[in-house]
Amino acid sequence: MTDPISHFGRKAQIESGNRQTVAKGEPRVSAPTAEAAAQVASPPTDELRLSSVARQAMQEPEFDRAKVDAIKTAIQQGQYSMDPRRIAESFVAIEKMIKG
């Protein structure tokens, strides 16, 4: 059976036939089949088109780069304080959203 998308079964049949030919001592046929030649001759024509909103979203960051850099620096210098209670409360809120 041949997979209609990848033609996997057909390729396996062709390769199987070539293996049997070689095993019998017959010269191997190296000429491509018409199907294989058509696949090589016509490259895929897939195309991706992004909307203007998607293009803009990919170009512009949605965060304040200066604030992120300031936090990174504070963490590296050991000056960034974290409130364990606030972190725990945030996790509880997230868990409620997930379960809810």
Side-chain angles (χ1 to χ4, degrees):
M1 179 173 204
T2 302
D3 178 21
I5 296 174
S6 67
H7 303 290
F8 179 73
R10 179 70 181 135
K11 289 178 184 178
Q13 290 172 352
I14 292 169
E15 290 173 5
S16 174
N18 287 341
R19 274 189 250 118
Q20 290 173 356
T21 304
V22 172
K24 292 180 184 177
E26 298 174 10
R28 188 173 186 176
V29 178
S30 61
T33 63
E35 182 179 307
Q39 288 176 351
V40 172
S42 60
T45 58
D46 292 344
E47 185 177 323
L48 175 66
R49 294 183 186 174
L50 297 176
S51 68
S52 60
V53 174
R55 275 187 258 122
Q56 183 181 5
M58 292 179 69
Q59 292 174 356
E60 295 179 11
E62 291 282 329
F63 59 91
D64 184 0
R65 172 95 37 210
K67 185 174 182 178
V68 171
D69 290 339
I71 292 172
K72 280 183 183 180
T73 303
I75 291 171
Q76 289 172 350
Q77 295 174 354
Q79 298 173 351
Y80 188 78
S81 62
M82 292 185 268
D83 181 7
R85 183 178 190 97
R86 186 172 173 206
I87 293 170
E89 289 171 354
S90 296
F91 276 112
V92 170
I94 291 170
E95 296 252 342
K96 285 181 181 178
M97 287 182 356
I98 293 171
K99 291 180 183 178

